[in-house]
RNA sequence: GGCCCGUUCGUCUAGGGGUUAGGACGCAGGAUUUUCAUUCCUGUAACACGGGUUCGAUUCCCGUACGGGCUACCA
């Protein structure tokens, strides 16, 4: 079902870490491309050299790779429509800008940033704020207002200039948005956007339109913050004579802050102690470094599932979707219009569900490289058993070690208050007897251990509640965790005996004073 | 300020002219469990407001309020 005419792009700027809003945009593009048999493309929009951040492009690619939504075309991924970095395409943009000037759709402007800034502050408190548009451009320093000789002279003297779009005076611009329907803008409201900056590089608007066209992009799916400037983009397509071949537009609702007002921002993560990035970003200082979902112990599939539902739903009551199922179910029609608040609790729930439904083997493979070095080495089988016992008791991957460290090293904290009333040195002999009885279990498994325990309790007229909690604390140090009999089966009697003997000393010391 | 977009439980959302307004997270209670967790059950809680249109509006239209975005030689 390959359809080479359906091309979707994710076009981030390498200005630092990319938060999950960007990942969601990438995901939606990827999902649609896969579903429709189209192509998912990565384009790096690095036209602002002042905001360029070293390593940001690598971060974007690493993030996409971790998520498993890798582009079929892009820098480092090949493709016939490259280069895929805008900074490597300046000659192309110049060509298109020249066309626009020739056809009268764009003009040279010699006003400096300082001058424009001055106009703006002067008009700040008036009823009509300064805007570079059809009302003001004839009073400004540009090739529309200046005599041709002066323009020629300026150009020959290499005077710095920008190129601006000549927005028509009185036109309605109709944007067809797949999510919002028809959105109408009036050209009087639009300013003459800069197309080419004084440094010779294009602005987003020009590069974006040229590249989408040249790269054969059929669908532009991006955040809602781009909706207002889409009017300019339509004007550009029109100026190039490409209006009939414009891509389809879909503007996604924004992801909002977990609390408070506004859209989700980079700072929100550290402020609330939650990840808002896919993977960690190491900045120059601590303030500019962030942790990610990966470091917080999330499975990429779970994060993606969570993200997919922030602004989209399948129209059914199913919530857990594999990537393949998302590809199958995804559609633009079910994308919402309103901003969606980021809900970390829900994200954790998705992750928990994914861990519970993963195979222990799979989890063991994930955990193996994360095993702290101080832990004694363990076999693959042991790790698998550990995962089987713990997977219903964790929310993140990190919880495995946080809650289950005692599978790999001696108990370091005994939560003895739960057995304070039960403990007496006399119990030691009872426990020794029980351990001896267990040693005879054959086969040595959880069922037999349980059976043996039950008869022992009956024979000695003891209650489960008197003995088992002592074992729990003795073996694991905590009241929380897997069934005691499962631990015993996994560890064997020698280990159990060692642990209990160590615990006895501790119990005596802390509980008998 | 101007322009554009939006508004269903606290949160993510389904729905759509006549419904007991459905699900999920969270929270609360209960069952199961030697603990914790899982699982299951129950409960909690919403159509922003005001006008129309209509026999009937949460659903359609218009206002208002509120929220969001844009308003740079940033993307």
């Amino acid at each position: 079902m390959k359809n080479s005419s359906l091309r979707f792009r994710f076009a981030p700027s390498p200005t630092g870490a990319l938060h999950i809003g960007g990942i969601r945009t990438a995901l939606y593009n990827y999902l649609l491309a896969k579903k429709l048999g189209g192509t998912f493309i990565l384009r790096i929009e690095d036209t602002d050299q002042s905001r360029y951040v070293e390593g940001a492009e690598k971060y974007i690619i690493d993030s996409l790779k971790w998520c498993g939504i890798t582009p079929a075309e892009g820098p480092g991924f090949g493709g016939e429509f490259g280069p895929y970095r805008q900074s490597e395409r300046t000659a192309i943009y110049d060509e298109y800008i020249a066309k626009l000037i020739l056809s009268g759709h764009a003009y040279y402007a010699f006003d400096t940033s300082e001058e424009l800034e001055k106009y703006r502050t002067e008009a700040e408190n008036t009823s009509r704020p300064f805007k570079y548009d059809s009302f003001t451009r004839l009073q400004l320093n540009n090739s529309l207002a200046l005599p041709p000789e002066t323009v020629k002279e300026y150009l020959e003297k290499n005077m710095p200039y920008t190129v601006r779009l000549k927005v028509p005076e009185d036109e309605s611009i109709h944007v067809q948005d797949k999510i919002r329907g028809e959105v109408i803008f009036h050209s009087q409201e639009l300013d003459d956007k800069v197309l080419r900056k004084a440094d010779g590089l294009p602005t987003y608007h020009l590069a974006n339109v040229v590249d989408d066209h040249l790269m054969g992009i059929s669908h532009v799916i991006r955040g809602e913050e781009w909706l207002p400037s889409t009017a300019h983009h339509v004007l550009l397509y029109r100026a190039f004579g490409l209006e009939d071949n414009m891509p389809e537009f879909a503007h996604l609702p924004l992801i909002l802050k977990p609390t408070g007002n506004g859209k989700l921002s980079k700072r929100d993560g550290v402020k609330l102690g939650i990840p808002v990035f896919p993977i960690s970003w190491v900045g120059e200082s601590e303030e500019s470094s962030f942790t990610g979902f990966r470091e917080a112990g999330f499975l990429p599939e779970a994060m993606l599932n969570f993200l997919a539902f922030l602004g989209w739903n399948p129209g059914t009551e199913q919530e857990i979707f594999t990537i393949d199922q998302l590809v199958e179910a995804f559609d633009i029609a079910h994308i919402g219009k309103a901003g969606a608040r980021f809900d970390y609790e829900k994200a954790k729930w998705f992750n928990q569900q994914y861990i519970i439904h993963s195979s222990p083997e799979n989890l063991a493979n994930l955990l193996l490289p994360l095993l702290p070095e101080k832990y004694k080495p363990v076999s693959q089988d042991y790790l698998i058993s550990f995962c089987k016992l713990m997977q219903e008791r964790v929310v993140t991957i990190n919880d495995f070690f946080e809650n289950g460290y005692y599978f790999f090293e001696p108990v370091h904290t005994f939560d003895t208050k739960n057995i304070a009333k039960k403990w007496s040195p006399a119990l030691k002999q009872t426990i020794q007897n029980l351990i001896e009885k267990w040693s005879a279990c054959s086969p040595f498994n959880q069922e037999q251990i349980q059976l043996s325990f039950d008869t022992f309790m009956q024979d000695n007229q003891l209650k489960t509640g008197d003995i088992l909690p002592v074992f729990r604390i003795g073996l694991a140090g905590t009241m929380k965790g897997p069934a005691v009999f499962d631990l015993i089966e996994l560890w064997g009697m020698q280990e159990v005996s060692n642990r209990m003997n160590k615990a006895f000393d501790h119990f005596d010391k802390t509980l008998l004073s």
Side-chain angles (χ1 to χ4, degrees), chain A residues 401-416:
Chain A
F401 300 131
E402 247 158 67
N403 303 344
Y405 75 92
Y406 54 84
F407 279 79
F408 307 94
E409 59 181 347
V411 173
H412 54 56
T413 315
F414 290 98
D415 189 7
T416 48

Side-chain angles (χ1 to χ4, degrees), chain A residues 262-446:
Chain A
K263 63 172 174 175
L264 185 68
S265 75
K266 295 182 178 186
R267 307 279 343 147
D268 292 328
V270 292
K271 232 166 32 201
L272 296 158
I274 57 176
V276 299
F277 295 90
I279 63 181
S280 68
W281 168 265
V282 181
E284 282 170 5
S285 64
E286 204 167 317
E287 291 82 54
S288 61
S289 300
F290 313 101
T291 54
F293 273 81
R294 183 177 65 187
E295 289 69 27
F298 277 75
L299 301 175
E301 299 85 353
M303 184 191 75
L304 255 22
N305 197 158
F306 162 68
L307 246 30
F309 272 71
L310 236 40
W312 172 84
N313 73 85
T316 67
E317 287 181 355
Q318 184 183 349
E319 292 213 76
I320 304 293
F321 282 79
T322 63
I323 274 285
D324 289 342
Q325 289 173 321
L326 280 176
V327 166
E328 182 67 27
F330 199 77
D331 62 337
I332 292 185
H334 282 97
I335 298 176
K337 293 184 175 76
R341 207 175 271 279
F342 178 86
D343 181 5
Y344 191 54
E345 290 304 318
K346 189 89 183 225
K348 286 195 291 191
W349 176 78
F350 273 108
N351 202 51
Q352 183 181 36
Q353 290 298 310
Y354 270 77
I355 290 177
I356 288 171
H357 294 117
S358 289
S359 71
E361 290 77 11
N362 181 30
L363 291 170
N365 287 336
L366 246 39
L367 255 34
L368 192 59
L370 301 173
L371 272 173
E373 274 180 35
K374 59 178 178 174
Y375 288 175
K376 66 176 185 193
V378 295
S379 70
Q380 180 77 1
D381 283 350
Y382 184 81
L383 205 53
I384 291 171
S385 300
F386 165 67
C387 290
K388 198 186 270 175
L389 259 28
M390 291 300 289
Q391 69 185 128
E392 281 187 354
R393 291 167 236 270
V394 298
V395 174
T396 69
I397 291 294
N398 301 349
D399 290 341
F400 274 101
F401 300 131
E402 247 158 67
N403 303 344
Y405 75 92
Y406 54 84
F407 279 79
F408 307 94
E409 59 181 347
V411 173
H412 54 56
T413 315
F414 290 98
D415 189 7
T416 48
K417 65 176 177 296
N418 287 292
I419 55 164
K421 291 200 185 81
K422 298 178 169 73
W423 178 249
S424 81
L427 239 39
K428 284 187 215 172
Q429 191 52 54
T430 311
I431 286 170
Q432 288 299 356
N433 295 344
L434 185 52
I435 287 177
E436 218 161 289
K437 189 165 157 60
W438 274 337
S439 301
C441 277
S442 173
F444 188 78
N445 62 29
Q446 178 263 127

